[in-house]
C-alpha cells in the first residue's frame, strides 16, 4: 500500500493491488472502529464519478505498523460497520453545515432556493460575502 498527499484535494490517497493484479487509487474518507475493536477504512475510488460512493474495508494493524486488509467476517459485521460510518458521516456533514452557517443570515427565499436545488449554498454565501465587501 502506498500513501501520498495530493496537494490539490488535501487528502490522502492509497494505491491498492486488487485480486486481478490491477491497481486502484483510493482516497481515504475516514478510519473508524466499531465497539473499540475492529477497525475499518472508508475508501472512495479516486476516479469514481459519484462522490458519495464509499467502500468500507476492514483492516488490522500489525505490531510493525503495517496495515493488512481483510474480508468482512459476515453480513452482520458489514452492517455494523456501515451503521457506524453512516452515523459518523452524517454528524460530520451536519457540523460542517452548521459551521458554515455561523454568522450568515439567510432569508426564507435563500433557504428555499438551497433546499429546492435552485441555487447552491456556496453561490449564496459567495454573493453574501460580495455584498458585505461592497457595503464596507
Amino acid at each position: 500500500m502506498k500513501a501520498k498527499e495530493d496537494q490539490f484535494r488535501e487528502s490522502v490517497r492509497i494505491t491498492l493491488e486488487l485480486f486481478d493484479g490491477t491497481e486502484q487509487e483510493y482516497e481515504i474518507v475516514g478510519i473508524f472502529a466499531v465497539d473499540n475493536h475492529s477497525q475499518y477504512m472508508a475508501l472512495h475510488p479516486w476516479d469514481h464519478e459519484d462522490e458519495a460512493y464509499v467502500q468500507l474495508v476492514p483492516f488490522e494493524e500489525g505490531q510493525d505498523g503495517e496495515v493488512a486488509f481483510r474480508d468482512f467476517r459476515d453480513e452482520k459485521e458489514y452492517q455494523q460497520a456501515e451503521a457506524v460510518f453512516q452515523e459518523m458521516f452524517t454528524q460530520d456533514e451536519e457540523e460542517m453545515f452548521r459551521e458554515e452557517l455561523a454568522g450568515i443570515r439567510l432569508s426564507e427565499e435563500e433557504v428555499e432556493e438551497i433546499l429546492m436545488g435552485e441555487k447552491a449554498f456556496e453561490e449564496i454565501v459567495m454573493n453574501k460575502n460580495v455584498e458585505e465587501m461592497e457595503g464596507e
Side-chain angles (χ1 to χ4, degrees):
M1 171 175 70
K2 305 170 200 164
K4 57 184 171 181
E5 287 286 334
D6 182 274
Q7 60 184 346
F8 300 109
R9 290 181 68 171
E10 296 181 16
S11 62
V12 176
R13 286 199 283 183
I14 62 173
T15 302
L16 299 178
E17 185 174 330
L18 305 178
F19 293 112
D20 64 2
T22 61
E23 290 186 344
Q24 172 71 46
E25 281 190 283
Y26 293 90
E27 173 183 7
I28 299 176
V29 176
I31 297 174
F32 61 99
V34 174
D35 298 330
N36 293 323
H37 186 264
S38 297
Q39 294 186 21
Y40 304 90
M41 277 190 201
L43 303 174
H44 172 74
W46 194 253
D47 58 356
H48 202 281
E49 291 181 19
D50 182 0
E51 289 187 18
Y53 180 79
V54 173
Q55 292 176 312
L56 301 180
V57 182
F59 73 94
E60 297 171 356
E61 193 170 340
Q63 291 178 349
D64 59 357
E66 191 69 26
V67 172
F69 292 102
R70 63 174 178 79
D71 292 329
F72 283 98
R73 291 180 195 95
D74 54 30
E75 184 67 22
K76 182 180 177 184
E77 180 189 16
Y78 175 77
Q79 290 172 351
Q80 288 174 330
E82 183 179 38
V84 169
F85 175 74
Q86 290 297 330
E87 181 180 326
M88 179 184 74
F89 183 73
T90 301
Q91 287 175 351
D92 286 347
E93 287 288 312
E94 288 174 9
E95 287 175 27
M96 286 174 29
F97 189 68
R98 285 191 182 116
E99 286 176 12
E100 288 185 51
L101 284 178
I104 298 172
R105 294 185 183 146
L106 298 175
S107 69
E108 296 271 337
E109 182 181 330
E110 290 169 326
V111 170
E112 190 66 28
E113 288 174 333
I114 292 170
L115 293 175
M116 298 301 291
E118 294 170 7
K119 280 193 178 176
F121 174 75
E122 292 81 9
E123 179 183 354
I124 290 175
V125 171
M126 194 156 119
N127 289 340
K128 291 257 185 221
N129 289 339
V130 169
E131 289 170 11
E132 288 175 10
M133 290 173 56
E134 289 174 350
E136 293 178 353

